[in-house]
Amino acid sequence: MISIKNKEEIKNMRLAAGLLTKTFQYLRSYIRPGITTIKLDQLAEEMIRSEGGIPSFLGYHGYPSSICVSIDQEVVHGIPGDRALQEGTIVSIDIGVFLNGFHSDAAMSYGLGPLDPERRKLMNSTKTALHRGIKKCRTGNRLSDISHCIQSHVESQGFQVVRELVGHGIGRELHEEPQIPNFGSPHRGPKLKPGMTFAIEPMVNMGTPDVSILEDGWTVQTKDGLPSAHFEHTVLITDGKPEILTIGIENEPEEMHG
Ligand code: MF3
Ligand code: CO
């Protein structure tokens, strides 16, 4: 069953998304070559807890950290540690916040320093695919309209979507029904209704779509070692246009774009 949030629940989803947005904005100035990924994790956790939130990922199925930091050929679920960020790489940061009984989930990929043109194109295509998918989050559309739209855009750019990991419903639980694949034929699955809240999250690889899991049991990386990008928003379906509850994570000073 796909949960439908009432007014009060939506208000709380907005509050969780607001704290998540604030956390991304706080982290933004620290996302520079030289900083360790564990430092980013500490900063994010401090911000979330300072406003009464809880990091959604910490302890989730035993996940050991508050955020995921995945670098270059790492797709998602990179565990923060003493590694330092390096110029020329894509760093994908994924954060979840639990506040007032509700979760919000979002991710952004950042280019560190000058990026080569293919990496830059990979990041742009992934972000555009996310936004095209979000445009399909309209009452009356079917779930797989989102999936199909994301896959079509990604493949038109010469890239591939990861099959093993999917977007998801979100609310009182971090992962609710339905699963939202980033691929598939259009016009299938449940009809979208106002009050549904989804985490849409394309993971896009420059080369093979195939992935494997590192010995740490979490980090997902590309099989061919080529880079990957990941963007995610928490989205509310309404009577009209979809509302991107985490849109503020994209507001950053222009000179910071990689
Ligand atoms: N955004 C990720 C997802 O929806 C959350 C990471 S799960 C965790 O799958 F285990 F790392 F917490
Ligand atoms: Co998610």
Side-chain angles (χ1 to χ4, degrees):
M1 201 204 68
I2 304 177
S3 68
I4 304 283
K5 281 79 182 176
N6 65 28
K7 272 218 166 86
E8 179 70 14
E9 293 169 325
I10 290 168
K11 198 181 87 191
N12 288 319
M13 293 277 311
R14 281 208 181 88
L15 291 173
L19 178 52
L20 178 53
T21 300
K22 192 168 174 183
T23 304
F24 267 94
Q25 284 169 349
Y26 175 60
L27 272 194
R28 184 60 190 92
S29 60
Y30 293 96
I31 304 173
R32 298 270 168 193
I35 195 165
T36 61
T37 58
I38 191 80
K39 181 74 187 167
L40 295 174
D41 187 77
Q42 287 162 356
L43 290 164
E45 179 169 8
E46 276 166 28
M47 171 55 79
I48 293 166
R49 293 197 191 277
S50 75
E51 305 255 330
I54 295 172
S56 300
F57 301 169
L58 186 62
Y60 185 83
H61 290 277
Y63 186 73
S65 306
S66 295
I67 70 174
C68 303
V69 185
S70 308
I71 299 172
D72 247 23
Q73 81 288 349
E74 296 173 358
V75 179
V76 287
H77 303 169
I79 301 175
D82 52 20
R83 243 183 342 167
L85 301 187
Q86 281 183 10
E87 231 175 65
T89 61
I90 296 173
V91 56
S92 303
I93 299 193
D94 191 349
I95 311 179
V97 164
F98 182 72
L99 182 69
N100 290 359
F102 289 85
H103 293 273
S104 187
D105 186 6
M108 285 271 282
S109 291
Y110 301 87
L112 293 174
L115 274 196
D116 65 63
E118 269 297 280
R119 278 187 174 77
R120 186 180 300 276
K121 182 180 171 195
L122 177 69
M123 293 217 326
N124 289 338
S125 304
T126 308
K127 188 173 179 182
T128 301
L130 169 60
H131 281 279
R132 289 192 175 208
I134 289 171
K135 285 211 168 74
K136 299 290 177 187
C137 291
R138 292 192 78 108
T139 299
N141 280 352
R142 287 185 187 270
L143 188 69
S144 82
D145 293 328
I146 304 168
S147 312
H148 178 73
C149 178
I150 290 172
Q151 180 181 25
S152 305
H153 181 72
V154 166
E155 294 183 358
S156 78
Q157 300 299 297
F159 301 130
Q160 294 288 326
V161 297
V162 172
R163 308 304 204 264
E164 286 86 344
L165 298 147
V166 296
H168 49 95
I170 182 167
R172 292 186 187 275
E173 305 294 332
L174 175 62
H175 292 144
E176 297 187 350
E177 286 181 40
Q179 295 198 0
I180 310 173
N182 295 300
F183 62 95
S185 337
H187 317 310
R188 309 283 163 89
K191 280 202 171 152
L192 308 187
K193 297 199 177 98
M196 291 180 176
T197 43
F198 293 163
I200 315 280
E201 50 178 321
M203 287 143 276
V204 177
N205 294 356
M206 192 181 283
T208 179
D210 295 339
V211 296
S212 57
I213 297 184
L214 284 188
E215 311 78 70
D216 64 19
W218 282 101
T219 313
V220 178
Q221 60 171 15
T222 61
K223 276 211 169 142
D224 59 9
L226 288 174
S228 185
H230 179 213
F231 288 83
E232 175 178 22
H233 275 306
T234 297
V235 178
L236 168 69
I237 292 162
T238 74
D239 290 328
K241 278 197 298 189
E243 188 180 328
I244 307 176
L245 301 181
T246 46
I247 190 64
I249 70 171
E250 295 187 12
N251 298 337
E252 48 175 327
E254 208 31 57
E255 94 269 7
M256 283 180 170
H257 286 287

